[in-house]
């Protein structure tokens, strides 16, 4: 199998605080993980690509100082939303890429719903 | 740039009826194409993917999709809908083959009537 977990599944925080979301590949190693954001009734938008042992690559328009990504091991990537504000409320989904040599597939976590009050 | 268009944000079918969800893509290189399903408040689950070879791809839960290069399409079908198929379906294209990033369509919500 290829299981990806996220923690927490739900988080409510006050404006101005920071929130950390974890993404783990449970039964495989992933050198590359991705972070997406999904607004209600909309598609997934790629925020950044997380590479183990190196800096993340952010998509245009995503503030890297606000959305800190750390890919500390082959099974764990974290997304920290710093100084969160209500407009950061969203559904955050990670994925981990499994395989090599042209046979890679992304497997998605169950998502984390963030509500900033 | 690659893009994905899903025709119809909402499709409703009766239980037992044919499911057809449309997806068209644009790509300047041979695409890798995917269909994902998302149940409420959950992440995405891979239904099927096309990389190379046979253009008719079979996936989980009885779904299949056919890659038609001439039509730049990758429509998802299932002969007989079940109530449990009600979910959001996303078509995606990969830039740069299997190592590329995924570009998602806006999704199609499938409703199944009893």
């Amino acid at each position: 199998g290829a299981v990806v977990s996220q923690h927490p599944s739900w988080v409510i925080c006050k404006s101005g605080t920071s929130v950390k979301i974890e993404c783990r590949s449970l039964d495989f190693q992933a050198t590359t993980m991705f972070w997406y954001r999904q607004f209600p009734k909309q598609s997934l938008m790629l925020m950044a690509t997380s590479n183990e042992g190196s800096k993340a690559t952010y998509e245009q328009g995503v503030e890297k100082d606000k959305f800190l990504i750390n890919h500390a091991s082959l099974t764990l990537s974290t997304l920290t939303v710093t100084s969160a504000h209500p407009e950061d409320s969203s559904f955050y989904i990670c994925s981990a890429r499994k395989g090599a040599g042209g046979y890679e597939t992304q497997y998605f976590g169950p998502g984390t719903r963030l509500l900033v009050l | 740039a690659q893009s994905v268009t899903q025709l119809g944000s909402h499709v409703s079918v009766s239980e037992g009826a044919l499911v057809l969800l449309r997806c068209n893509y644009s790509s300047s290189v041979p695409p890798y194409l995917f269909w994902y399903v998302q149940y409420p408040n959950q992440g995405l689950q891979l239904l099927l993917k096309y990389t190379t070879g046979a253009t008719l791809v079979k996936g989980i839960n009885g779904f299949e999709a056919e890659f038609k290069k001439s039509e730049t399409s990758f429509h998802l079908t299932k002969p007989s809908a079940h109530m449990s198929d009600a979910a959001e379906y996303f078509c995606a294209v990969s830039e740069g083959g299997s190592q590329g990033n995924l570009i998602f369509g806006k999704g199609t919500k499938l409703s199944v009537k009893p």
Side-chain angles (χ1 to χ4, degrees):
Chain A
V3 181
V4 177
S5 70
Q6 280 185 244
H7 178 79
S9 56
W10 269 94
V11 58
I12 301 174
C13 68
K14 293 182 179 180
S15 184
T17 61
S18 294
V19 175
K20 180 185 283 187
I21 303 170
E22 293 186 347
C23 177
R24 294 181 184 272
S25 55
L26 298 184
D27 52 359
F28 65 100
Q29 293 183 330
T31 55
T32 303
M33 293 184 173
F34 302 87
W35 287 96
Y36 295 85
R37 185 173 181 176
Q38 185 181 30
F39 290 103
K41 302 186 186 301
Q42 294 189 28
S43 188
L44 280 73
M45 299 299 296
L46 180 64
M47 298 175 65
T49 302
S50 171
N51 298 297
E52 188 269 337
S54 65
K55 291 183 178 180
T57 303
Y58 290 82
E59 295 299 302
Q60 190 173 8
V62 178
E63 300 176 59
K64 61 181 180 181
D65 294 331
K66 181 169 186 60
F67 298 99
L68 301 178
I69 292 172
N70 183 19
H71 196 151
S73 76
L74 289 172
T75 60
L76 173 64
S77 175
T78 60
L79 168 68
T80 301
V81 183
T82 62
S83 186
H85 288 94
E87 59 265 29
D88 299 324
S89 299
S90 190
F91 194 47
Y92 292 88
I93 304 176
C94 75
S95 71
R97 191 159 65 194
K98 179 182 180 181
Y103 295 94
E104 295 87 349
T105 298
Q106 284 190 40
Y107 293 91
F108 286 78
T112 296
R113 190 163 299 282
L114 170 63
L115 177 61
V116 184
L117 302 177
Chain B
Q2 295 185 328
S3 66
V4 176
T5 302
Q6 291 184 239
L7 295 177
S9 60
H10 192 187
V11 171
S12 181
V13 301
S14 298
E15 191 173 19
L18 170 72
V19 176
L20 170 61
L21 304 182
R22 300 178 186 274
C23 173
N24 289 88
Y25 68 91
S26 67
S27 175
S28 58
V29 299
Y32 280 34
L33 296 160
F34 305 80
W35 275 100
Y36 286 88
V37 60
Q38 184 181 34
Y39 297 99
N41 296 313
Q42 296 186 28
L44 274 67
Q45 180 181 7
L46 180 66
L47 275 178
L48 48 81
K49 64 179 179 180
Y50 168 79
T51 55
T52 58
T55 57
L56 181 62
V57 181
K58 295 185 183 299
I60 62 172
N61 300 340
F63 284 94
E64 61 182 37
E66 186 172 10
F67 169 58
K68 292 186 177 181
K69 183 179 179 180
S70 61
E71 299 177 7
T72 62
S73 70
F74 190 57
H75 302 331
L76 181 71
T77 61
K78 181 174 180 177
S80 177
H82 294 166
M83 296 296 291
S84 60
D85 294 327
E88 188 93 21
Y89 291 80
F90 292 95
C91 180
V93 63
S94 171
E95 301 176 332
S98 62
Q99 296 185 6
N101 295 337
L102 292 175
I103 307 298
F104 285 89
K106 292 187 175 183
T108 298
K109 183 176 181 179
L110 175 66
S111 298
V112 182
K113 298 175 291 186

